[in-house]
Amino acid sequence: MDVENPRNKEIIFLGSGGPFTLPQFFCNCRICNAARENPSLNRTRASIAIVGDEVTLIDAGPDMEMQLEREGIDKIDNIFITHWHYDHIAGLGAIGYPQAICGWNPIDVYLPESLVIHFTQVLSFLDDHVRLHPISPGAVINLPDANWEVVKTNHTEESVGFLIESGVRFAYLVDTALPPDETTKKMSNIDLLILDAMFDSIDTKWRHFTVYDAIEYWKSSGAKECILTHLSCHRWEDRKWIAGYTSDERTNIERENPGLSFAYDGMRVSL
Ligand SMILES: [Zn+2]
Ligand SMILES: [Zn+2]
Ligand SMILES: [Zn+2]
């Protein structure tokens, strides 16, 4: 690193949406229609890039290539995978060509130990393009831009989140409902909590936070600031998928809760 001109590190939200893009092709609600009229309200699948001396992604969803192009990110060094759901892993198949064409070192992919079998079965054509690193809760990984700790989330058997120290100490807990106590205990002295808030409200047990459950969790955690992401911007009520908060209502929720922000595609946080 050039000590005279250290590169600014930042988090870039590649996507801030839930498992479907917003607007959703099958939905004609007022939230989707507002996004059709104003593309700045569009959301692609949730993922972040940590950009410093290296480029490290958390998750690689189906929108990954377009997200990287949109943000002017022209390299991938590392990818951390939270869990094996389509909206978090469907971009992995695309990483072999750029690695080979650009002559990068094999991309380091960190994924929960029990998912390695899925990777090697489904994505065996990437063998020469990646180095796989099985991880499990409690593991610590030291990379040039940040030190990472793997923590357990509450979504699938294998799902994990990350506690990251990179000047700013922050956590990325997506997808999850209320995480296990051993994870929550680690959230007490962090600067920023980035949290799943998939549903604006919900009347059944999906393994995701709602917006207000996520806000309550953040306030009880002790973290200074909170960014909500993985936002479907819809409710799931009476077995129906219906419109959630408008963007004005989201702005009001932010005003009522200083330190809280809703993520948006392209949002940047300096580290
Ligand atoms: Zn998801
Ligand atoms: Zn809709
Ligand atoms: Zn999921």
Side-chain angles (χ1 to χ4, degrees), residues 24 27 29 32 234:
Q24 296 164 3
C27 187
C29 78
C32 290
H234 286 72

Side-chain angles (χ1 to χ4, degrees), residues 5-229:
N5 293 299
R7 188 182 295 182
N8 292 331
K9 278 188 290 188
E10 59 183 354
I11 304 169
I12 301 175
F13 281 78
L14 298 178
S16 59
F20 319 107
T21 52
L22 186 75
Q24 296 164 3
F25 72 90
F26 55 86
C27 187
N28 202 28
C29 78
R30 68 176 194 280
I31 300 300
C32 290
N33 284 335
R36 287 183 183 107
E37 279 168 32
N38 178 1
S40 75
L41 300 175
N42 288 0
R43 295 182 189 274
T44 56
R45 278 79 162 199
S47 168
I48 60 170
I50 296 160
V51 179
D53 287 334
E54 294 188 330
V55 174
T56 302
L57 311 186
I58 301 183
D59 289 330
D63 311 308
M64 182 194 73
E65 291 167 281
M66 179 271 286
Q67 293 168 330
L68 295 173
E69 172 66 22
R70 187 194 68 213
E71 299 304 330
I73 297 171
D74 59 5
K75 189 160 186 273
I76 305 170
D77 296 287
N78 314 290
I79 304 176
F80 284 77
I81 296 295
T82 58
H83 66 296
W84 200 261
H85 278 169
Y86 169 77
D87 51 322
H88 299 260
I89 53 106
L92 285 172
I95 64 179
Y97 284 121
Q99 186 277 336
I101 291 166
C102 302
W104 304 335
N105 289 331
I107 296 169
D108 289 299
V109 178
Y110 299 82
L111 75 173
E113 206 162 7
S114 56
L115 302 183
V116 171
I117 183 87
H118 295 318
F119 193 105
T120 51
Q121 283 177 345
V122 177
L123 299 168
S124 58
F125 57 89
L126 292 178
D127 280 356
D128 294 338
H129 307 287
V130 299
R131 284 187 293 242
L132 293 186
H133 303 271
I135 54 174
S136 50
V140 173
I141 301 113
N142 297 318
L143 295 180
D145 290 316
N147 297 328
W148 295 65
E149 182 177 347
V150 182
V151 296
K152 186 86 190 82
T153 50
N154 173 16
H155 183 57
T156 66
E157 281 302 305
E158 302 90 353
S159 63
V160 298
F162 304 103
L163 184 55
I164 303 153
E165 174 74 62
S166 179
V168 173
R169 191 169 154 79
F170 68 101
Y172 189 82
L173 305 183
V174 171
D175 306 351
T176 192
L178 187 66
D181 286 349
E182 71 253 32
T183 297
T184 300
K185 279 184 199 138
K186 295 177 192 285
M187 299 300 128
S188 58
N189 64 342
I190 64 171
D191 302 300
L192 171 63
L193 183 55
I194 303 172
L195 210 52
D196 176 357
M198 159 87 165
F199 291 103
D200 289 357
S201 68
I202 188 173
D203 63 5
T204 184
K205 289 269 176 213
W206 290 53
R207 294 279 181 103
H208 292 276
F209 273 125
T210 64
V211 165
Y212 276 97
D213 287 344
I215 292 172
E216 193 181 316
Y217 181 74
W218 160 51
K219 290 192 170 172
S220 66
S221 73
K224 287 187 199 117
E225 294 185 29
C226 180
I227 297 176
L228 300 181
T229 188

